[in-house]
Amino acid sequence: MIEENFDDINITLFLDRLNKNIYHNYNFEKTVELNQVIKVDQQESIAGRVLLKRTLGNLIFMNISDMNGNLQISIDRSSFENFDDLSNNIQLGDIIGISGITYLTKSGELTLRANKCVPLRKALIPMPDKHAGLQDINLKQRYRYLDLIYDHSQRKKIQARQLIMQSIREFLSDYIEVETPILQNIASGAAATPFSTHHNALDTELFLRIAPELYLKQLLVAGYNRVYEMNKCFRNEGIDTTHLQEFTMLECYTTYISYEKLQDLTVNLLQFICEKISSIQEVKYNYKNIERISYVDLLARYNINYFEINENNIRDIALSHNIDVNIYKSYQSLLDAIYKKCCINNIVDPILVYDYPRHPLSVPKDNNFSYQFQIILKGQEIIKSYLELNDPCIQYENFRQQLDVLNTGDTDAVRMDTNFIKALLYGMPPAGGFGMGIDRVATILTDSDNIRDTLLFPLMKW
RNA sequence: GAACAAUUAGCUCAGCAGGUAGAGCAAAUGACUCUUAAUCAUUAGGUCCUGGGUUCGAUUCCCAGAUUGUUCACCA
């Protein structure tokens, strides 16, 4: 037995509205979008939601709105035998279709004078305040569809996000966009805690991917030279203003590319995105000249000498920067904490930092560093890139070392994926790849306080 | 995970040093043919988030819980 729970909907609210005509009209065809009505003396048909209504006896003005724009329409008694029905039944929030001829009102506003008015669907629940809309952040996120009707700054954030994704696809037009599995047997490719689930038919535990990386590299083995994926990844970790449990990641791979060209590629992409975004809003960051600096030099800029740090003094150095040394288990994570606290947090304009300490999936440069770089913007790592490790023996050994980390109880390590090792054994061409968190870029470029502002429907507990 | 804050009419918000709550918008009724959040008059609308406690009496004070937010911590 399935029971629906409507407890949170106050039925008495819409009894009033149920007494009105519930419209069932499905054949109205509009001729233009609301923002395409620009000239007088045009016969047009438009449709949308009634957001404002002013009744002046025998004349009604309404403002019709949707995501494309808004338009004032007028209905006068002399044009309609059923004027009283229309006047009485159309309420704020209803969706109506209007045909008529455009004209300028006495105050000069372009208006569609209706000679046909077809109510299309009634709003049975009263709409939010016609001016203020939703203000409660809880309600704004929970009922985003209402929020988007009223909050134009929220619309703009969503629009910017869409433009970012669109411009990425445009920039990568000579790459092939692919889809790789989201449900995976092993969630590898990054160091994070995955969501797990169960597949009934196969009776097996599955994980939601934390990164598409290892599958995309298998496509390099297959012979794809330029490939990318932009889609959801999932990490079962804390939620805050810069982290989501479900986020959109771009990962892009290019074979036979040099370290320097890889840097150029990511810088050009970021600049391309910023240019596109600046067509709809100001970009506050100096993205035109992006400085490139090595990891060691960046540390030095903040008075930290990388080569003087060792196992013996790192805890003292961390303590001197007010870092809680008990939280970080390994030398690497402690070093990373120092780097973030002392350097990253101070960065505002985009900067490219290269030659990071060794990473289990990247090509090592020497004993300390790998061919890895990141682009930092407003204190956040928005692009992470490296030359891809394609030596199966070193890769296997790196996975083995990560297993040791996992065995210490730390759940955040890159998990062993022997299928990936097998693919590497067949030979993966040299390649460079990068990843970019779309949500974070959108958050920063739209000047949002919370990463959830860039989502249509952020996760809520119901 | 911790601290702090918020939750009052459908929405936006007042208010109550402890005595059963108000406004604007929305809705209903009426007036009005050029309004721009139209205006004017009248009406109706409440589990003051939930559960305990203190009290003659709790929306208000205390405790616990729920949801949401912010900060910190964790997580690239």
Side-chain angles (χ1 to χ4, degrees), chain A residues 270-293:
Chain A
L270 181 61
Q271 289 172 334
F272 187 79
I273 292 169
C274 289
E275 284 294 337
K276 291 283 181 182
I277 287 296
S278 62
S279 70
I280 61 168
Q281 63 173 74
E282 181 200 2
V283 174
K284 298 166 111 184
Y285 307 95
N286 174 24
Y287 60 87
K288 292 193 173 147
N289 298 300
I290 296 180
E291 183 191 8
R292 302 185 193 191
I293 184 171

Side-chain angles (χ1 to χ4, degrees), chain A residues 380-421:
Chain A
Q380 293 188 53
E381 302 155 352
I382 58 162
I383 290 178
K384 176 176 177 176
S385 179
Y386 41 80
L387 293 184
E388 305 298 338
L389 181 59
N390 65 351
D391 182 322
C393 300
I394 299 176
Q395 183 65 79
Y396 184 75
E397 182 52 33
N398 288 352
F399 277 145
R400 284 286 302 271
Q401 288 174 10
Q402 291 286 300
L403 274 178
D404 293 340
V405 175
L406 280 174
N407 287 333
T408 64
D410 193 340
T411 56
D412 292 312
V414 183
R415 285 164 179 75
M416 171 75 81
D417 186 337
T418 50
N419 278 328
F420 174 62
I421 296 292

Side-chain angles (χ1 to χ4, degrees), chain A residues 133-144 147 151 154 157 449-450 452-453 456 458-460:
Chain A
L134 293 180
Q135 293 293 329
D136 185 319
I137 295 171
N138 185 5
L139 297 182
K140 282 168 75 73
Q141 297 189 3
R142 223 169 263 281
Y143 304 104
R144 189 67 100 196
D147 188 32
D151 186 345
Q154 181 60 50
K157 288 178 180 181
D449 295 327
N450 193 323
R452 294 156 71 84
D453 289 353
L456 284 170
L459 181 72
M460 305 295 286

Side-chain angles (χ1 to χ4, degrees), chain A residues 141-157:
Chain A
Q141 297 189 3
R142 223 169 263 281
Y143 304 104
R144 189 67 100 196
Y145 53 89
L146 287 178
D147 188 32
L148 287 169
I149 291 172
Y150 295 94
D151 186 345
H152 287 249
S153 71
Q154 181 60 50
R155 283 188 185 186
K156 205 167 175 185
K157 288 178 180 181

Side-chain angles (χ1 to χ4, degrees), chain A residues 181-187 193-210 234 236:
Chain A
I182 288 174
L183 282 174
Q184 303 183 340
N185 289 284
I186 298 165
T193 309
F195 285 92
S196 66
T197 185
H198 184 263
H199 190 295
N200 290 342
L202 296 177
D203 189 22
T204 188
E205 187 181 25
L206 294 176
F207 301 94
L208 273 62
R209 70 170 173 203
I210 55 176
F234 307 83
N236 202 346

